[in-house]
Amino acid sequence: MKELMLGNKALARGLYEAGCKVISSYPGTPSTEITEEAALYDEIYCEWAPNEKVAMEVAHGASLGGVRSATAMKHVGLNVAADPLFTISYQGLNAGLVVCVADDPGMHSSQNEQDSRHYAEAAKVPMLEPADSEEARVFAKRAYELSEKFNTPVFLKMCTRVAHSQSVVNTEERIVPEQVPYKKDPTKVMMTKNSRDAHVRVEQRTKDLIAFAENCDLNRVEMGDTSIGFITSSTSYQYAKEVYGDNASYLKLGMIWPLPEKLILDFAEHVDKVVVLEELDPFIENHCRKLGLEVVGKETFPICGEFSQNLVRTALGGDAPEELALADEIPGRPPVMCAGCPHRGIFYILSKLKCMVYGDIGCYTLGAVAPLNAMDLNVCMGASCSGLHGFNKAMGEQGEKMSVGVIGDSTFIHSGITGITDIAYNMSNSTVIILDNSITGMTGHQQNPTTGKNLRGEPAGKVNLEALCAALGFNRVTVVDPYDLAEVERVVKEELAAEEPSIIISRRPCVMIKGTVHKPPIKVNTDKCVGCKMCMKIGCPAISVRDKKAVIDTTLCIGCEVCTQMCKFGALCPAAKEGR
């Protein structure tokens, strides 16, 4: 049956059709929908793991148990999962294992722009790279065939445009292989001689995969005009085809690692000029140059950001088509936290107290933007805790009395626990604020181990943050309501002054959680408003100033009352107290 599908949905469909039975992942844009869509199939057990390393290990364990399994993550998540991945490559499997990784060229929702193809080469694991939704479905099934034929995990690499664009998919029936019996094998214990022998097997596997890549249907040649030949993959193939059509020839690589040799050399012999078109790093280009080919590559195309049809056209000397544009200058619309976001009060107080704020990864990273400007830096999941500890060990009391780490509840479970363990164990007077908004907000409201619900919204085990922090050695654990500015300021000052490590838990559900009941919008008493714009310092998108008076957008305001605590003139008041 034909159906229009997002690339991620099609990939999930491919996993389903291939008989996958276990998927463990950690949400991360642009990969999140893979697992969410797979969870709609009752035949597949799906879960959100605490982090990508755990997810990789769960999926590998399921493979050893004899069923086809998968894990999905974004490119930076693969950094977290790399530790088990490299050894799993040596150890091998029992049933097929597919590792879905989604890169984010252009950094639409990421802190860096890394190229996951390097992991395939470094871990010596084959990688497939679909160019549209139908290929995502088909390649998922082929990945399992390769995984079991060559006894290796197989990468299935997506990117934002393939993951989040739609194209026609031809669905097929689900076929489930028989469960493979588990057999004890002492050679799977990765130590000394076993590891050395495994490395020899992996190198031979790579040679066998190169031979496979020379003739497999995952890589295909499309001959047209031979004056120019593109060696390309993924969305770059789509852009080249849209620009040149039959006026060029193409070697479209669906298996991006290991790369063929003879196939590339033969293609190059039949065209006058070879152009390597690929986003981000010169991965294919470097391979071609090692083969002795003269190619057009990164000296012509950018190494940063996403490509487009017009970029390809103009880079190769063509003219971009005319386009329509508004002559008026449109004001910028930087991203901001939602109206009523519980994180806003915390950041306002931290900004007011002029704290050095070591931030983390999540929607609360928006605390860095104007007018709050309350976050100094962020690195990766969990770095706020361990980074703060190092900062304070270097700065001593001068740092400890003016610095905090800020981390979300899901991110804390992901990588923050070990960081605060270091704080408690090695005793820096560090203050960490856990922003507990009862959901994983940044990637679209996924459950996590602190919410008490699993991926499907069913009752699940729930981590008690207060008890956990106490068990790790924190004597000072305080819970605050971020809507109460005076209380937040009092507690932050108190914990910064304390001569021991401390945890502040800011607890208030995300305002966007389905079913959350909001208060009526705040009212403005224009007679009392003096136009001081103090209310604007909170950065709430529901508040603006018009004709020197505060204005509340009632379609956005959720009545959190934070702004009312900032107005010294009583001009802002809850609807229930209007006129008092």
Side-chain angles (χ1 to χ4, degrees):
M1 185 177 72
K2 292 187 176 182
E3 184 178 343
L4 195 63
M5 286 188 185
L6 282 176
N8 281 346
K9 181 177 180 179
L11 197 164
R13 176 69 192 188
L15 298 176
Y16 167 77
E17 291 178 4
C20 177
K21 285 194 173 183
V22 175
I23 300 178
S24 182
S25 305
Y26 184 82
T29 306
S31 73
T32 306
E33 299 88 356
I34 298 170
T35 306
E36 289 180 328
E37 291 291 343
L40 299 178
Y41 298 107
D42 292 336
E43 299 92 333
I44 307 177
Y45 168 77
C46 295
E47 68 174 28
W48 291 130
N51 63 32
E52 294 86 358
K53 177 179 184 292
V54 172
M56 180 76 73
E57 293 159 349
V58 169
H60 181 235
S63 163
L64 296 178
V67 301
R68 288 182 168 180
S69 62
T71 181
M73 61 202 69
K74 67 184 297 177
H75 61 290
V76 286
L78 186 53
N79 299 333
V80 181
D83 191 4
L85 170 69
F86 277 65
T87 302
I88 291 169
S89 174
Y90 274 34
Q91 188 181 66
L93 313 167
N94 198 18
L97 169 58
V98 174
V99 179
C100 308
V101 59
D103 285 7
D104 189 20
M107 294 175 284
H108 298 281
S109 185
S110 306
Q111 70 270 35
N112 70 26
E113 196 177 33
Q114 70 188 51
D115 191 329
S116 294
R117 295 178 296 178
H118 296 292
Y119 270 110
E121 181 178 12
K124 305 180 189 299
V125 169
M127 175 178 277
L128 308 186
E129 189 174 25
D132 57 28
S133 297
E134 173 65 358
E135 283 195 348
R137 180 191 72 85
V138 173
F139 282 17
K141 299 167 76 170
R142 294 297 304 279
Y144 280 115
E145 295 172 9
L146 285 175
S147 177
E148 290 164 354
K149 179 178 180 180
F150 292 98
N151 191 26
T152 177
V154 174
F155 277 120
L156 189 54
K157 177 184 172 292
M158 304 288 278
C159 68
T160 300
R161 292 301 165 189
V162 176
H164 289 162
S165 62
Q166 298 187 73
S167 60
V168 175
V169 169
N170 298 296
T171 60
E172 297 177 324
E173 294 299 315
R174 175 175 167 88
I175 299 176
V176 182
E178 289 187 14
Q179 187 164 351
V180 182
Y182 175 75
K183 295 180 180 178
K184 189 177 182 67
D185 181 359
T187 65
K188 287 186 179 294
V189 180
M190 290 294 100
M191 56 184 292
T192 59
K193 184 177 185 301
N194 287 346
S195 298
R196 290 193 290 269
D197 291 345
H199 189 191
V200 174
R201 291 196 302 271
V202 166
E203 295 302 335
Q204 181 58 50
R205 182 179 72 198
T206 299
K207 292 179 181 178
D208 295 340
L209 282 163
I210 292 172
F212 172 82
E214 299 289 4
N215 299 297
C216 71
D217 59 356
L218 295 166
N219 301 325
R220 68 174 185 264
V221 174
E222 301 174 7
M223 296 305 296
D225 190 317
T226 57
S227 61
I228 183 171
F230 287 93
I231 302 178
T232 184
S233 66
S234 188
T235 51
S236 296
Y237 163 77
Q238 304 284 16
Y239 300 145
K241 286 284 286 188
E242 288 191 39
V243 172
Y244 281 86
D246 293 334
N247 295 319
S249 297
Y250 307 89
L251 171 51
K252 193 245 181 219
L253 297 168
M255 185 171 181
I256 205 65
W257 183 261
L259 288 164
E261 297 176 2
K262 185 176 182 299
L263 179 63
I264 290 174
L265 293 171
D266 288 347
F267 176 76
E269 282 186 3
H270 290 85
V271 297
D272 299 333
K273 179 171 70 172
V274 177
V275 177
V276 177
L277 187 64
E278 56 186 329
E279 287 182 333
L280 301 183
D281 295 342
F283 190 82
I284 304 171
E285 179 183 344
N286 288 344
H287 179 75
C288 290
R289 294 193 187 279
K290 287 178 182 178
L291 295 177
L293 294 177
E294 288 294 327
V295 300
V296 176
K298 289 302 175 184
E299 74 277 12
T300 300
F301 302 104
I303 200 168
C304 301
E306 284 188 301
F307 288 2
S308 67
Q309 297 90 330
N310 283 346
L311 184 150
V312 173
R313 183 181 285 110
T314 56
L316 291 174
D319 296 323
E322 292 185 7
E323 57 185 34
L324 296 175
L326 292 174
D328 298 336
E329 185 175 344
I330 300 174
R333 298 183 63 186
V336 295
M337 290 180 284
C338 303
C341 175
H343 305 328
R344 184 172 278 107
I346 288 288
F347 284 118
Y348 173 73
I349 295 301
L350 295 176
S351 180
K352 178 182 176 181
L353 297 178
K354 295 181 171 55
C355 290
M356 192 290 282
V357 180
Y358 202 130
D360 223 293
I361 308 302
C363 51
Y364 50 90
T365 310
L366 292 170
V369 302
L372 294 169
N373 301 311
M375 186 178 289
D376 289 59
L377 71 162
N378 71 314
V379 177
C380 64
M381 304 279 274
S384 58
C385 302
S386 40
L388 175 70
H389 172 70
F391 178 82
N392 285 335
K393 283 297 183 183
M395 294 284 288
E397 185 174 345
Q398 180 186 355
E400 293 172 343
K401 300 304 181 186
M402 50 73 70
S403 64
V404 299
V406 173
I407 188 168
D409 51 341
S410 179
T411 309
F412 175 75
I413 294 294
H414 180 287
S415 297
I417 297 173
T418 47
I420 69 163
T421 302
D422 195 30
I423 290 172
Y425 175 55
N426 289 302
M427 299 184 67
S428 63
N429 295 334
S430 297
T431 299
V432 172
I433 302 175
I434 302 173
L435 303 175
D436 182 6
N437 66 348
S438 305
I439 206 71
T440 308
M442 184 70 170
T443 50
H445 283 195
Q446 290 77 32
Q447 304 296 334
N448 67 65
T450 72
T451 67
K453 296 180 181 179
N454 65 16
L455 187 155
R456 290 189 166 100
E458 303 159 341
K462 182 177 182 178
V463 174
N464 183 319
L465 291 176
E466 296 95 307
L468 173 61
C469 294
L472 291 175
F474 286 84
N475 298 317
R476 303 181 67 90
V477 180
T478 309
V479 178
V480 297
D481 180 353
Y483 284 174
D484 188 340
L485 297 183
E487 178 66 3
V488 170
E489 183 170 358
R490 182 192 69 79
V491 170
V492 170
K493 286 180 176 178
E494 190 173 285
E495 297 312 313
L496 286 174
E499 295 297 327
E500 61 177 308
S502 61
I503 300 288
I504 300 172
I505 300 173
S506 170
R507 181 164 288 146
R508 171 72 71 159
C510 171
V511 297
M512 299 299 289
I513 292 178
K514 187 177 180 179
T516 302
V517 178
H518 300 310
K519 296 180 181 179
I522 299 299
K523 300 289 185 179
V524 179
N525 186 329
T526 55
D527 293 334
K528 292 184 177 181
C529 181
V530 299
C532 68
K533 298 184 181 180
M534 185 65 186
C535 55
M536 296 291 290
K537 291 186 177 181
I538 199 73
C540 179
I543 307 173
S544 60
V545 173
R546 190 177 307 150
D547 299 327
K548 298 183 179 181
K549 300 289 184 179
V551 176
I552 301 294
D553 185 338
T554 58
T555 64
L556 294 177
C557 180
I558 58 105
C560 71
E561 302 182 20
V562 169
C563 61
T564 67
Q565 301 168 57
M566 302 174 64
C567 182
K568 299 178 181 179
F569 303 95
L572 301 174
C573 58
K577 299 178 182 178
E578 187 179 9
R580 292 186 183 179

